[in-house]
Amino acid sequence: MHCSVIFLFPILLSTAYAFYDNSNDVVELNPATFNSKVLDSDEIWIVEFYAPWCGHCQALVAEYSKMAAAVKGLVKVGAVNADQHQSLGQKYEIRGFPTIKIFSSNKNKPKDFQGPRTAQGMVDELFKELKIQVQDRLGGKKSGGKSSGGGSKSRKEGDPKDVIELTDSNFQEKVLDSNDMWLVEFYAPWCGHCQRLAPHWQEAATELKGKVKLGALDATVHTVMAGKYGIKGFPTIKFFPQGAKDGSAEEYDGGRTASDIISWALEKQSEFTPAPEVVQVTNSAALKEACEDHPLCVISILPHILDCQSACRNDYINILKKVGERFRKNQWGWVWAEAMAQPQLEDSLGIGGFGYPAMAVVNARKMKFSVLRGSFSYDGISEFIRAVSVGRGTSSPIKGAKLPDITDSEPWDGKDGELPVEEDIDLSDVDLSDDEDLKKKTEL
């Protein structure tokens, strides 16, 4: 069984992030360590993807720990808090909690564990994988994992030009005064570790192009910056967040393979991603930007201004902003429209008949959407967004299999709505004599 996605109650938050302590035989994994420990190893790994609030996950801890102790030295056992590390959950298409996967001969295609969730059930399955691995080795096959270069077997070549050469003179302008996130390697040309890192650094720079910039500074030549950041050994890698004009930097604590660097950088990018804007749909460009330039987009239809005046509407918009801030790592687009202002939009998502406010999450690549069935509140929307994030709930095809046409309209001015003023009818110039004669004849 899998856990349903529910709101995180405060009582669970205090114990949120680690089911398995350091004395346990289960290794807590994260995006910075997953590739080096699991994918780049020759060992079989069984990995549980869990969420701290999930009751089934909590119930599994004892059996999972018991299994880990039983296979110690034979199989590696790991766990990922997929609620916290959503990038790993999305990578492995985790749809519910707990999900258990076995990374064996082909690390790129882990197997889903479908057996009994008991220590014995998991041990039995792992022994089958061990037998397959031993037979493969007898037959001369190499186990998946490390390549001769210490990285993944399919490591790509990076372009050296994607690593930006930094100096004492350009560091301020390129790194500190920029609006980009940076990973900077402080190196020495004679350093063997630096030389081994170089191809991985280049590959990561190419892969992260347009997301996080990677630079390299020869600390034996450009000693001003090396001294400023207290460089004592080589290579030293530091992270500079967006707009780090004060010179603040964070120590890089991830692995040294390209995949480690990429995962660590993407996690940081998500962490420092600003809260999304909640934009009113007043033209097609607004809808396309929100839905086509983001993984998913959240579309809200708010009541007409005459039914919900400015204070009421702002309350709804503030709820959307708060939820958007909470889930900013998703990097989704957030938009809203006034009820009946965009009838084709409502019709294409089938949300015009449910009353207002209403909400749908749209996947523009698949042309599918999911509708909020719960309350239009912070808790209700949070539960809905979390469910969609892990692939739960039902989805429907967008009518017409395309984003609907949008009617150009003026944006809301932030004011209360006013009923149209009825014009007074002036009858002073109207000749009613004929009507009076007709009235007298009718009376006779």
Side-chain angles (χ1 to χ4, degrees), residues 323-339:
V323 180
E325 164 72 24
R326 178 178 179 180
F327 292 95
R328 68 184 188 279
K329 289 185 179 181
N330 291 351
Q331 298 184 44
W332 294 359
W334 290 73
V335 294
W336 68 274
E338 184 178 68

Side-chain angles (χ1 to χ4, degrees), residues 300-304 339 346 350-359 371-372 376:
S300 298
I301 306 297
L302 302 184
H304 193 279
E346 294 184 35
I351 56 178
F354 289 104
Y356 306 105
M359 173 182 286
V371 174
L372 169 68
F376 199 98

Side-chain angles (χ1 to χ4, degrees), residues 190-379:
W190 45 259
C191 164
H193 293 300
C194 304
Q195 294 163 12
R196 285 189 288 275
L197 176 64
H200 295 279
W201 198 246
Q202 291 172 11
E203 180 187 342
T206 299
E207 185 69 23
L208 291 166
K209 197 171 182 178
K211 300 173 182 175
V212 178
K213 289 188 174 181
L214 269 66
L217 182 140
D218 184 345
T220 65
V221 175
H222 305 287
T223 55
V224 174
M225 285 299 160
K228 179 177 180 178
Y229 291 102
I231 306 304
K232 304 295 185 183
F234 307 112
T236 293
I237 302 171
K238 290 188 178 289
F239 171 73
F240 294 83
Q242 200 170 11
K245 293 184 183 297
D246 61 353
S248 59
E250 179 180 331
E251 202 74 25
Y252 172 82
D253 58 1
R256 297 297 172 92
T257 67
S259 56
D260 289 332
I261 297 163
I262 292 166
S263 294
W264 195 96
L266 291 177
E267 190 75 6
K268 279 296 175 186
Q269 184 195 31
S270 296
E271 180 181 329
F272 282 87
T273 297
E277 286 187 73
V278 180
V279 179
Q280 184 181 1
V281 177
T282 56
N283 52 52
S284 294
L287 183 65
K288 287 182 178 179
E289 193 281 330
C291 295
E292 294 181 354
D293 295 350
H294 297 84
L296 299 175
C297 60
V298 183
I299 300 174
S300 298
I301 306 297
L302 302 184
H304 193 279
I305 192 64
L306 294 177
D307 297 323
C308 174
Q309 295 284 9
S310 59
C312 168
R313 177 173 288 183
N314 282 322
D315 284 344
Y316 283 132
I317 292 175
N318 286 333
I319 288 172
L320 297 176
K321 288 179 178 179
K322 284 178 63 180
V323 180
E325 164 72 24
R326 178 178 179 180
F327 292 95
R328 68 184 188 279
K329 289 185 179 181
N330 291 351
Q331 298 184 44
W332 294 359
W334 290 73
V335 294
W336 68 274
E338 184 178 68
M340 299 176 286
Q342 302 296 341
Q344 290 178 290
L345 177 60
E346 294 184 35
D347 182 56
S348 68
L349 302 177
I351 56 178
F354 289 104
Y356 306 105
M359 173 182 286
V361 171
V362 170
N363 185 326
R365 291 188 300 276
K366 295 182 179 180
M367 283 298 154
K368 290 188 174 182
F369 69 93
S370 298
V371 174
L372 169 68
R373 304 295 185 187
S375 66
F376 199 98
S377 62
Y378 177 80
D379 292 351

